[in-house]
Amino acid sequence: MNNSISIKNGIVYDPLNKIEGEKKNIYITNGAISEKPHPDAKIINVDGMIIFPGGIDIHSHIAGPKVNAGRAFRPEDHIIDPIPKTKKSRSGVGYSVPSTWITGYRYAKLGYTTVVEPAMPLMEARHTHEEFLSTPIIDKAAFPLFGNNWFVMEFIKNKDYDRLAGYISWILKATKGYAIKIVNPGGVENWAWGKNVDSLDDHVLHFEVSPREILEGLAKVNEILELPHSIHVHGNNLGHPGNYKYSLETFKTMEKINASSGHNNVLHYTHCQFNAYDGSNWGDFCSGATEIAKYINSHNHITVDMGQIVFAKAATTTMTADGPWEFALHHISGMSNWGAKPGVKWINGQVEGESGSGLVPYYFDPKIGVNAIQWAIGLELALLINNPWKIYLSTDHPNGGPFIYYPKIVRWLMDKKTREDMLNNQVSKKASSNTTLTNIERELTLNEICIMTRAGPAKCLGMKDRGHLGIGAIGDISIFNLDNKNLNGHDIEKAFSNSEYTIKDGRIVVHKGEIKASPIGTTLISEGKIKEDTLNNTLKEIKQHWRDHYSINFNNYDIGEYYTPKKKIMNNI
Ligand SMILES: [Zn+2]
């Protein structure tokens, strides 16, 4: 077993290396892409099938305390989707919040090999990494939450960006994190007092900083540290009619941030669909996607992911660090959206001095106007933003729907006929009258899908060792049984639902949709560039104030090395 494979006669898509549908052999030697075949390599012939780099999910809630709270409070979610054990895989349960082992298997079957958990409360980092350790096959990264953190807001109030950089770098090391995540900046701290923020210039109670200052301060420090990814932002006012204007305001405020050497974009604006709403209330609710796309098409400092909603067979479990939004959703859904009767439940969470969270089950109903419009907005964004390097596929799993529905989304993006069938026969007419989806002719190509699910996220995350098939890249590959000369909606969805082969670090982990091996993946970490004495001075100051902020001892905060036996530090070089 030397993790060496020769893949013969596949049709290769490798957008980062400008290869689009070429018949080629791909060689993997000892787990990495090589120029020549290893003499003892296993040979597989995939004549006519398509070859992509392993999939990369830039935003999916798969591990940590709120994910586990989601498992615990919805037993009805599991009984609809039990998964038996096989010779090579463990048993478990789905549906919208699968158990950890099932999460790894299901991603691998879809051809995904790297997944980002985008919301790790700092103090709950141990829990997040414990779940990573029992999520097999895929590589994982976690984003610590900084947008409502007391130390962060104090440093920003004092305009002390050196200390802020020291703090961020220390937290990334202490929690084994990857990038700066910001959720409803300022709003979640105000939620501890029963309030939210209304605009970018509203005030955070007791801290006298604004959401705008938090965003600018963290974006500035992201570039000082030269982190591989940009700041990763869940905007203010998520989920509310008219919020596209706040999104544009956020984009504009980032225009003045200078990107560090490694990347062009200074802002990744996540699950954009939920922040692309026009109208002033739920009665006149309509799409703001055209305005968002127009801005993104004419600027290069932003990337987004879709946050597509799907019409799943059962309610999904929404979960976010945006506590006030889940409170609002709990009220909205309690009044109008219990057709599927998932039960009126709500969890509110608070992590001392750091962040909050909330969970609510929610059923997206195709016959309800607002839900149909939300569905159309996600697709509008992906189809109206011209450059696929700027928008990536996501459902904000499990918020817009479980990730197992990705093949259906790919079908909607690639096949106009399927969209027309949805608009004419399946969803409320509001999707046609209140969005522009009916007028969009564009059908994405296989190459564009490969960018949105692999090459684009790799570039945006600054993960240079993956998302492509160049010499030296890790041997993560997905192979789909699909004829690129004869594409139709049905075949596209079928092929992407179960990979012919998924290869992880040169090892076959899935064949014909079945798990063949489940190695443990690597935890990806980044720390940023920081001077030793800046870090030490910051820590000295933090220690002095520690007991004002926390009920736990400073020495117990750093999670140590135990939880990351297999790690890779991805600094921006
Ligand atoms: Zn999210």
Side-chain angles (χ1 to χ4, degrees), residues 60-98:
S60 173
H61 300 273
I62 56 165
K66 78 181 177 315
V67 176
N68 215 29
R71 293 187 185 107
F73 99 137
R74 293 203 60 218
E76 72 275 14
D77 192 53
H78 312 311
I79 56 176
I80 60 169
D81 192 14
I83 295 105
K85 133 185 208 309
T86 71
K87 272 191 185 143
K88 298 281 182 187
S89 59
R90 297 191 186 200
S91 62
V93 288
Y95 167 71
S96 68
V97 193

mmCIF file of all heavy atoms in Angstrom, residues 60-98:
data_model
loop_
_atom_site.group_PDB
_atom_site.id
_atom_site.type_symbol
_atom_site.label_atom_id
_atom_site.label_comp_id
_atom_site.label_asym_id
_atom_site.label_seq_id
_atom_site.Cartn_x
_atom_site.Cartn_y
_atom_site.Cartn_z
ATOM 1 N N SER A 60 -19.803 24.933 5.841
ATOM 2 C CA SER A 60 -20.751 23.869 6.167
ATOM 3 C C SER A 60 -20.640 23.543 7.652
ATOM 4 O O SER A 60 -19.561 23.198 8.137
ATOM 5 C CB SER A 60 -20.421 22.637 5.314
ATOM 6 O OG SER A 60 -21.200 21.540 5.712
ATOM 7 N N HIS A 61 -21.758 23.657 8.364
ATOM 8 C CA HIS A 61 -21.728 23.437 9.823
ATOM 9 C C HIS A 61 -21.775 21.946 10.129
ATOM 10 O O HIS A 61 -22.831 21.324 10.083
ATOM 11 C CB HIS A 61 -22.893 24.188 10.481
ATOM 12 C CG HIS A 61 -22.836 25.659 10.231
ATOM 13 N ND1 HIS A 61 -22.124 26.520 11.027
ATOM 14 C CD2 HIS A 61 -23.344 26.414 9.223
ATOM 15 C CE1 HIS A 61 -22.214 27.751 10.537
ATOM 16 N NE2 HIS A 61 -22.948 27.717 9.444
ATOM 17 N N ILE A 62 -20.604 21.375 10.399
ATOM 18 C CA ILE A 62 -20.523 19.918 10.568
ATOM 19 C C ILE A 62 -20.052 19.481 11.954
ATOM 20 O O ILE A 62 -20.131 18.298 12.270
ATOM 21 C CB ILE A 62 -19.579 19.273 9.513
ATOM 22 C CG1 ILE A 62 -18.178 19.910 9.561
ATOM 23 C CG2 ILE A 62 -20.180 19.370 8.109
ATOM 24 C CD1 ILE A 62 -17.114 19.101 8.816
ATOM 25 N N ALA A 63 -19.532 20.408 12.765
ATOM 26 C CA ALA A 63 -18.974 19.966 14.050
ATOM 27 C C ALA A 63 -19.001 21.098 15.069
ATOM 28 O O ALA A 63 -18.911 22.264 14.716
ATOM 29 C CB ALA A 63 -17.529 19.507 13.858
ATOM 30 N N GLY A 64 -19.128 20.704 16.343
ATOM 31 C CA GLY A 64 -19.068 21.688 17.416
ATOM 32 C C GLY A 64 -20.332 21.688 18.248
ATOM 33 O O GLY A 64 -21.279 20.954 17.968
ATOM 34 N N PRO A 65 -20.347 22.550 19.261
ATOM 35 C CA PRO A 65 -21.442 22.501 20.231
ATOM 36 C C PRO A 65 -22.827 22.774 19.649
ATOM 37 O O PRO A 65 -23.789 22.112 20.018
ATOM 38 C CB PRO A 65 -21.061 23.584 21.249
ATOM 39 C CG PRO A 65 -20.043 24.432 20.571
ATOM 40 C CD PRO A 65 -19.335 23.554 19.599
ATOM 41 N N LYS A 66 -22.946 23.734 18.705
ATOM 42 C CA LYS A 66 -24.318 24.007 18.236
ATOM 43 C C LYS A 66 -24.781 22.914 17.284
ATOM 44 O O LYS A 66 -25.966 22.593 17.229
ATOM 45 C CB LYS A 66 -24.435 25.409 17.650
ATOM 46 C CG LYS A 66 -23.899 25.585 16.272
ATOM 47 C CD LYS A 66 -24.053 27.019 15.823
ATOM 48 C CE LYS A 66 -23.449 27.201 14.455
ATOM 49 N NZ LYS A 66 -22.119 26.579 14.283
ATOM 50 N N VAL A 67 -23.827 22.332 16.535
ATOM 51 C CA VAL A 67 -24.187 21.211 15.662
ATOM 52 C C VAL A 67 -24.695 20.050 16.523
ATOM 53 O O VAL A 67 -25.723 19.424 16.228
ATOM 54 C CB VAL A 67 -22.962 20.780 14.818
ATOM 55 C CG1 VAL A 67 -23.293 19.547 13.986
ATOM 56 C CG2 VAL A 67 -22.507 21.933 13.914
ATOM 57 N N ASN A 68 -24.002 19.806 17.621
ATOM 58 C CA ASN A 68 -24.411 18.704 18.489
ATOM 59 C C ASN A 68 -25.728 19.008 19.200
ATOM 60 O O ASN A 68 -26.554 18.115 19.396
ATOM 61 C CB ASN A 68 -23.307 18.405 19.501
ATOM 62 C CG ASN A 68 -23.234 16.928 19.795
ATOM 63 O OD1 ASN A 68 -23.563 16.105 18.942
ATOM 64 N ND2 ASN A 68 -22.837 16.583 20.998
ATOM 65 N N ALA A 69 -25.943 20.273 19.547
ATOM 66 C CA ALA A 69 -27.239 20.665 20.122
ATOM 67 C C ALA A 69 -28.332 20.381 19.095
ATOM 68 O O ALA A 69 -29.424 19.917 19.429
ATOM 69 C CB ALA A 69 -27.227 22.137 20.511
ATOM 70 N N GLY A 70 -28.035 20.621 17.820
ATOM 71 C CA GLY A 70 -28.979 20.343 16.739
ATOM 72 C C GLY A 70 -29.309 18.856 16.669
ATOM 73 O O GLY A 70 -30.455 18.477 16.412
ATOM 74 N N ARG A 71 -28.300 18.004 16.902
ATOM 75 C CA ARG A 71 -28.564 16.555 16.893
ATOM 76 C C ARG A 71 -29.473 16.189 18.053
ATOM 77 O O ARG A 71 -30.430 15.431 17.908
ATOM 78 C CB ARG A 71 -27.251 15.776 17.027
ATOM 79 C CG ARG A 71 -26.335 15.923 15.837
ATOM 80 C CD ARG A 71 -25.126 14.984 15.945
ATOM 81 N NE ARG A 71 -24.208 15.220 14.853
ATOM 82 C CZ ARG A 71 -23.031 15.833 14.982
ATOM 83 N NH1 ARG A 71 -22.598 16.229 16.175
ATOM 84 N NH2 ARG A 71 -22.269 16.047 13.936
ATOM 85 N N ALA A 72 -29.158 16.770 19.225
ATOM 86 C CA ALA A 72 -29.876 16.358 20.440
ATOM 87 C C ALA A 72 -31.330 16.804 20.439
ATOM 88 O O ALA A 72 -32.187 16.085 20.917
ATOM 89 C CB ALA A 72 -29.143 16.908 21.667
ATOM 90 N N PHE A 73 -31.615 17.990 19.895
ATOM 91 C CA PHE A 73 -32.978 18.479 20.066
ATOM 92 C C PHE A 73 -33.931 18.078 18.931
ATOM 93 O O PHE A 73 -35.077 18.464 18.927
ATOM 94 C CB PHE A 73 -32.981 19.971 20.412
ATOM 95 C CG PHE A 73 -33.239 21.003 19.344
ATOM 96 C CD1 PHE A 73 -34.090 22.081 19.615
ATOM 97 C CD2 PHE A 73 -32.629 20.946 18.111
ATOM 98 C CE1 PHE A 73 -34.309 23.067 18.670
ATOM 99 C CE2 PHE A 73 -32.844 21.942 17.170
ATOM 100 C CZ PHE A 73 -33.695 23.007 17.449
ATOM 101 N N ARG A 74 -33.445 17.252 17.986
ATOM 102 C CA ARG A 74 -34.366 16.815 16.939
ATOM 103 C C ARG A 74 -34.276 15.309 16.653
ATOM 104 O O ARG A 74 -33.816 14.876 15.589
ATOM 105 C CB ARG A 74 -34.093 17.599 15.649
ATOM 106 C CG ARG A 74 -34.450 19.084 15.790
ATOM 107 C CD ARG A 74 -34.711 19.720 14.455
ATOM 108 N NE ARG A 74 -35.803 19.074 13.774
ATOM 109 C CZ ARG A 74 -35.827 18.863 12.449
ATOM 110 N NH1 ARG A 74 -34.829 19.246 11.688
ATOM 111 N NH2 ARG A 74 -36.866 18.264 11.896
ATOM 112 N N PRO A 75 -34.720 14.485 17.602
ATOM 113 C CA PRO A 75 -34.709 13.030 17.348
ATOM 114 C C PRO A 75 -35.477 12.664 16.086
ATOM 115 O O PRO A 75 -35.144 11.706 15.394
ATOM 116 C CB PRO A 75 -35.367 12.439 18.597
ATOM 117 C CG PRO A 75 -35.978 13.585 19.328
ATOM 118 C CD PRO A 75 -35.251 14.806 18.923
ATOM 119 N N GLU A 76 -36.508 13.486 15.741
ATOM 120 C CA GLU A 76 -37.297 13.195 14.528
ATOM 121 C C GLU A 76 -36.443 13.308 13.270
ATOM 122 O O GLU A 76 -36.771 12.727 12.228
ATOM 123 C CB GLU A 76 -38.513 14.142 14.442
ATOM 124 C CG GLU A 76 -38.210 15.603 14.100
ATOM 125 C CD GLU A 76 -37.840 16.458 15.317
ATOM 126 O OE1 GLU A 76 -37.559 15.886 16.391
ATOM 127 O OE2 GLU A 76 -37.818 17.697 15.177
ATOM 128 N N ASP A 77 -35.342 14.018 13.362
ATOM 129 C CA ASP A 77 -34.427 14.170 12.229
ATOM 130 C C ASP A 77 -33.696 12.847 11.952
ATOM 131 O O ASP A 77 -33.366 12.538 10.818
ATOM 132 C CB ASP A 77 -33.407 15.265 12.577
ATOM 133 C CG ASP A 77 -32.577 15.713 11.387
ATOM 134 O OD1 ASP A 77 -33.171 16.070 10.359
ATOM 135 O OD2 ASP A 77 -31.337 15.707 11.492
ATOM 136 N N HIS A 78 -33.435 12.081 12.996
ATOM 137 C CA HIS A 78 -32.627 10.868 12.840
ATOM 138 C C HIS A 78 -33.455 9.665 12.420
ATOM 139 O O HIS A 78 -32.996 8.855 11.638
ATOM 140 C CB HIS A 78 -31.905 10.535 14.150
ATOM 141 C CG HIS A 78 -31.208 11.709 14.743
ATOM 142 N ND1 HIS A 78 -30.374 12.521 14.004
ATOM 143 C CD2 HIS A 78 -31.234 12.236 15.984
ATOM 144 C CE1 HIS A 78 -29.924 13.490 14.776
ATOM 145 N NE2 HIS A 78 -30.425 13.345 15.974
ATOM 146 N N ILE A 79 -34.677 9.569 12.960
ATOM 147 C CA ILE A 79 -35.433 8.342 12.685
ATOM 148 C C ILE A 79 -35.868 8.254 11.234
ATOM 149 O O ILE A 79 -36.150 7.171 10.750
ATOM 150 C CB ILE A 79 -36.651 8.173 13.638
ATOM 151 C CG1 ILE A 79 -37.565 9.402 13.570
ATOM 152 C CG2 ILE A 79 -36.199 7.909 15.070
ATOM 153 C CD1 ILE A 79 -38.822 9.247 14.400
ATOM 154 N N ILE A 80 -35.873 9.377 10.514
ATOM 155 C CA ILE A 80 -36.235 9.286 9.096
ATOM 156 C C ILE A 80 -35.051 8.846 8.236
ATOM 157 O O ILE A 80 -35.200 8.617 7.053
ATOM 158 C CB ILE A 80 -36.803 10.616 8.536
ATOM 159 C CG1 ILE A 80 -35.778 11.747 8.667
ATOM 160 C CG2 ILE A 80 -38.121 10.965 9.202
ATOM 161 C CD1 ILE A 80 -36.188 13.000 7.896
ATOM 162 N N ASP A 81 -33.864 8.733 8.827
ATOM 163 C CA ASP A 81 -32.687 8.480 7.989
ATOM 164 C C ASP A 81 -31.628 7.640 8.709
ATOM 165 O O ASP A 81 -30.497 8.074 8.912
ATOM 166 C CB ASP A 81 -32.094 9.849 7.581
ATOM 167 C CG ASP A 81 -31.050 9.738 6.489
ATOM 168 O OD1 ASP A 81 -30.950 8.674 5.851
ATOM 169 O OD2 ASP A 81 -30.316 10.727 6.286
ATOM 170 N N PRO A 82 -31.969 6.406 9.089
ATOM 171 C CA PRO A 82 -30.964 5.552 9.742
ATOM 172 C C PRO A 82 -30.026 4.937 8.699
ATOM 173 O O PRO A 82 -30.465 4.606 7.598
ATOM 174 C CB PRO A 82 -31.814 4.465 10.404
ATOM 175 C CG PRO A 82 -33.072 4.411 9.599
ATOM 176 C CD PRO A 82 -33.265 5.743 8.927
ATOM 177 N N ILE A 83 -28.756 4.812 9.026
ATOM 178 C CA ILE A 83 -27.788 4.253 8.065
ATOM 179 C C ILE A 83 -27.138 3.018 8.683
ATOM 180 O O ILE A 83 -26.481 3.104 9.724
ATOM 181 C CB ILE A 83 -26.709 5.288 7.678
ATOM 182 C CG1 ILE A 83 -27.364 6.449 6.929
ATOM 183 C CG2 ILE A 83 -25.645 4.685 6.768
ATOM 184 C CD1 ILE A 83 -27.524 7.680 7.685
ATOM 185 N N PRO A 84 -27.328 1.856 8.046
ATOM 186 C CA PRO A 84 -26.751 0.634 8.626
ATOM 187 C C PRO A 84 -25.237 0.560 8.429
ATOM 188 O O PRO A 84 -24.685 1.245 7.568
ATOM 189 C CB PRO A 84 -27.445 -0.476 7.841
ATOM 190 C CG PRO A 84 -27.915 0.161 6.578
ATOM 191 C CD PRO A 84 -28.078 1.622 6.828
ATOM 192 N N LYS A 85 -24.619 -0.277 9.208
ATOM 193 C CA LYS A 85 -23.175 -0.482 9.108
ATOM 194 C C LYS A 85 -22.885 -1.366 7.906
ATOM 195 O O LYS A 85 -23.726 -2.160 7.485
ATOM 196 C CB LYS A 85 -22.764 -1.083 10.440
ATOM 197 C CG LYS A 85 -21.887 -2.264 10.505
ATOM 198 C CD LYS A 85 -21.757 -2.696 11.966
ATOM 199 C CE LYS A 85 -20.452 -3.389 12.265
ATOM 200 N NZ LYS A 85 -20.075 -4.478 11.410
ATOM 201 N N THR A 86 -21.712 -1.198 7.300
ATOM 202 C CA THR A 86 -21.267 -2.109 6.241
ATOM 203 C C THR A 86 -19.911 -2.661 6.675
ATOM 204 O O THR A 86 -19.422 -2.309 7.751
ATOM 205 C CB THR A 86 -21.089 -1.382 4.893
ATOM 206 O OG1 THR A 86 -19.937 -0.536 4.971
ATOM 207 C CG2 THR A 86 -22.311 -0.541 4.524
ATOM 208 N N LYS A 87 -19.297 -3.472 5.814
ATOM 209 C CA LYS A 87 -17.981 -4.028 6.168
ATOM 210 C C LYS A 87 -16.953 -2.924 6.392
ATOM 211 O O LYS A 87 -16.033 -3.062 7.171
ATOM 212 C CB LYS A 87 -17.494 -4.943 5.054
ATOM 213 C CG LYS A 87 -17.981 -6.364 5.236
ATOM 214 C CD LYS A 87 -17.267 -7.296 4.276
ATOM 215 C CE LYS A 87 -17.874 -8.672 4.417
ATOM 216 N NZ LYS A 87 -17.957 -9.383 3.154
ATOM 217 N N LYS A 88 -17.093 -1.834 5.648
ATOM 218 C CA LYS A 88 -16.074 -0.783 5.696
ATOM 219 C C LYS A 88 -16.534 0.475 6.418
ATOM 220 O O LYS A 88 -15.755 1.411 6.554
ATOM 221 C CB LYS A 88 -15.672 -0.398 4.263
ATOM 222 C CG LYS A 88 -15.051 -1.499 3.464
ATOM 223 C CD LYS A 88 -13.589 -1.671 3.846
ATOM 224 C CE LYS A 88 -12.974 -2.767 2.994
ATOM 225 N NZ LYS A 88 -11.633 -3.098 3.415
ATOM 226 N N SER A 89 -17.812 0.563 6.793
ATOM 227 C CA SER A 89 -18.261 1.818 7.406
ATOM 228 C C SER A 89 -19.170 1.559 8.600
ATOM 229 O O SER A 89 -19.831 0.518 8.687
ATOM 230 C CB SER A 89 -18.986 2.674 6.362
ATOM 231 O OG SER A 89 -20.102 1.989 5.840
ATOM 232 N N ARG A 90 -19.187 2.524 9.504
ATOM 233 C CA ARG A 90 -19.984 2.410 10.721
ATOM 234 C C ARG A 90 -21.442 2.772 10.459
ATOM 235 O O ARG A 90 -21.749 3.425 9.472
ATOM 236 C CB ARG A 90 -19.451 3.387 11.779
ATOM 237 C CG ARG A 90 -18.044 3.092 12.198
ATOM 238 C CD ARG A 90 -17.719 3.919 13.409
ATOM 239 N NE ARG A 90 -16.320 3.762 13.768
ATOM 240 C CZ ARG A 90 -15.842 4.048 14.980
ATOM 241 N NH1 ARG A 90 -16.641 4.524 15.909
ATOM 242 N NH2 ARG A 90 -14.557 3.881 15.227
ATOM 243 N N SER A 91 -22.306 2.428 11.378
ATOM 244 C CA SER A 91 -23.691 2.862 11.293
ATOM 245 C C SER A 91 -23.796 4.294 11.813
ATOM 246 O O SER A 91 -22.849 4.822 12.397
ATOM 247 C CB SER A 91 -24.582 1.939 12.131
ATOM 248 O OG SER A 91 -24.182 2.026 13.478
ATOM 249 N N GLY A 92 -24.958 4.905 11.598
ATOM 250 C CA GLY A 92 -25.166 6.265 12.089
ATOM 251 C C GLY A 92 -26.529 6.739 11.669
ATOM 252 O O GLY A 92 -27.361 5.954 11.225
ATOM 253 N N VAL A 93 -26.732 8.043 11.805
ATOM 254 C CA VAL A 93 -28.011 8.620 11.394
ATOM 255 C C VAL A 93 -27.797 9.941 10.663
ATOM 256 O O VAL A 93 -26.792 10.617 10.842
ATOM 257 C CB VAL A 93 -28.927 8.899 12.610
ATOM 258 C CG1 VAL A 93 -29.466 7.601 13.195
ATOM 259 C CG2 VAL A 93 -28.209 9.709 13.671
ATOM 260 N N GLY A 94 -28.783 10.287 9.793
ATOM 261 C CA GLY A 94 -28.864 11.614 9.186
ATOM 262 C C GLY A 94 -29.793 12.405 10.048
ATOM 263 O O GLY A 94 -29.811 12.159 11.227
ATOM 264 N N TYR A 95 -30.532 13.297 9.563
ATOM 265 C CA TYR A 95 -30.776 13.639 8.184
ATOM 266 C C TYR A 95 -30.156 15.014 7.912
ATOM 267 O O TYR A 95 -29.202 15.148 7.168
ATOM 268 C CB TYR A 95 -32.299 13.602 7.970
ATOM 269 C CG TYR A 95 -32.805 14.206 6.720
ATOM 270 C CD1 TYR A 95 -32.587 13.595 5.484
ATOM 271 C CD2 TYR A 95 -33.483 15.390 6.770
ATOM 272 C CE1 TYR A 95 -33.072 14.176 4.335
ATOM 273 C CE2 TYR A 95 -33.967 15.952 5.618
ATOM 274 C CZ TYR A 95 -33.760 15.359 4.407
ATOM 275 O OH TYR A 95 -34.237 15.942 3.287
ATOM 276 N N SER A 96 -30.734 16.032 8.556
ATOM 277 C CA SER A 96 -30.163 17.359 8.282
ATOM 278 C C SER A 96 -28.886 17.575 9.086
ATOM 279 O O SER A 96 -28.016 18.344 8.673
ATOM 280 C CB SER A 96 -31.181 18.470 8.554
ATOM 281 O OG SER A 96 -31.464 18.590 9.922
ATOM 282 N N VAL A 97 -28.763 16.929 10.251
ATOM 283 C CA VAL A 97 -27.510 17.021 11.023
ATOM 284 C C VAL A 97 -26.998 15.598 11.251
ATOM 285 O O VAL A 97 -27.235 15.005 12.298
ATOM 286 C CB VAL A 97 -27.712 17.734 12.377
ATOM 287 C CG1 VAL A 97 -26.368 18.087 12.987
ATOM 288 C CG2 VAL A 97 -28.535 19.001 12.204
ATOM 289 N N PRO A 98 -26.278 15.049 10.284
ATOM 290 C CA PRO A 98 -25.834 13.668 10.406
ATOM 291 C C PRO A 98 -24.833 13.494 11.545
ATOM 292 O O PRO A 98 -24.182 14.458 11.960
ATOM 293 C CB PRO A 98 -25.146 13.382 9.070
ATOM 294 C CG PRO A 98 -25.372 14.561 8.204
ATOM 295 C CD PRO A 98 -25.837 15.691 9.052
#
